[in-house]
Amino acid sequence: MSRGELTAEALWYVGPGRAEIRQEPVNPLAEGMVRVRARYGGISRGTEALIAAGKVPSSEYQRMRSPHMGGSFPFPVKYGYSTVGRVEAGPDRLVGRDVFALHPHQTVFDVPVDAALPVPRDVPISRAVLAANMETALNATWDADPLPSGPVAVVGAGVVGALVGFLCARERAQR
């Protein structure tokens, strides 16, 4: 890479239990894109643990691809899907805004404008990184359709389980 060229650092899983930080060039910003500088990233304890260990079944390679993933399963692969960052370039309405994006772990990256979801100003950005987990919890809650007065059992106390419990308790309190 030449001097003055914009680069980013990206996390690549390179073998079972091995990862490395790689320098990658960042191309000039294309039309319809925003440039985001990552501020927070979430590492999935389930999905990414499988990937890091090299335990993704070959039958699931295509289904487990994430948006903007680099490489291919099993290795090397640049993976991740939960990043909150600040828009540095793009449409004026987004420049300076914090956004959530489904993007691998990388310090600077470009995504289509409609893939950069503005974080509401009253939501702490450290919490906004849980948006992908909240979507999973919300879908699980909708699918379960808990009764308003019946018991609710959440099996698992990970992030998604805790969010399901939060959603069920919130729903019950609002009825």
Side-chain angles (χ1 to χ4, degrees), residues 13 41-53 64 79-82 105 130 133 156-160:
Y13 297 105
I43 296 178
S44 164
R45 186 175 168 155
T47 304
E48 286 187 70
L50 284 174
I51 292 164
M64 286 185 64
Y79 198 84
Y81 53 82
S82 188
H105 308 293
L130 297 174
N133 301 97
V159 173
V160 173

Side-chain angles (χ1 to χ4, degrees), residues 33 42 46 57 59 78 85 103-104 125 148 151 161-162:
M33 304 289 278
S59 63
K78 177 174 68 170
H103 198 279
I125 60 172

Side-chain angles (χ1 to χ4, degrees), residues 48-66:
E48 286 187 70
L50 284 174
I51 292 164
K55 294 184 177 180
V56 175
S58 58
S59 63
E60 300 302 307
Y61 284 1
Q62 193 57 37
R63 195 165 73 92
M64 286 185 64
R65 288 192 62 80
S66 67

Side-chain angles (χ1 to χ4, degrees), residues 47-168:
T47 304
E48 286 187 70
L50 284 174
I51 292 164
K55 294 184 177 180
V56 175
S58 58
S59 63
E60 300 302 307
Y61 284 1
Q62 193 57 37
R63 195 165 73 92
M64 286 185 64
R65 288 192 62 80
S66 67
H68 314 292
M69 182 176 112
S72 58
F73 295 120
F75 300 107
V77 64
K78 177 174 68 170
Y79 198 84
Y81 53 82
S82 188
T83 302
V84 172
R86 180 148 300 149
V87 175
E88 292 187 335
D92 288 343
R93 66 183 168 78
L94 289 175
V95 173
R97 289 289 312 267
D98 291 316
V99 296
F100 174 86
L102 296 169
H103 198 279
H105 308 293
Q106 188 166 315
T107 55
V108 178
F109 57 87
D110 298 344
V111 294
V113 170
D114 62 354
L117 306 171
V119 175
R121 295 189 195 281
D122 62 339
V123 173
I125 60 172
S126 60
R127 190 176 307 153
V129 79
L130 297 174
N133 301 97
M134 180 58 92
E135 178 185 25
T136 301
L138 187 58
N139 284 320
T141 304
W142 285 340
D143 288 348
D145 194 22
L147 297 172
S149 60
V152 174
V154 177
V155 178
V159 173
V160 173
L163 289 170
V164 167
F166 167 80
L167 289 170
C168 289

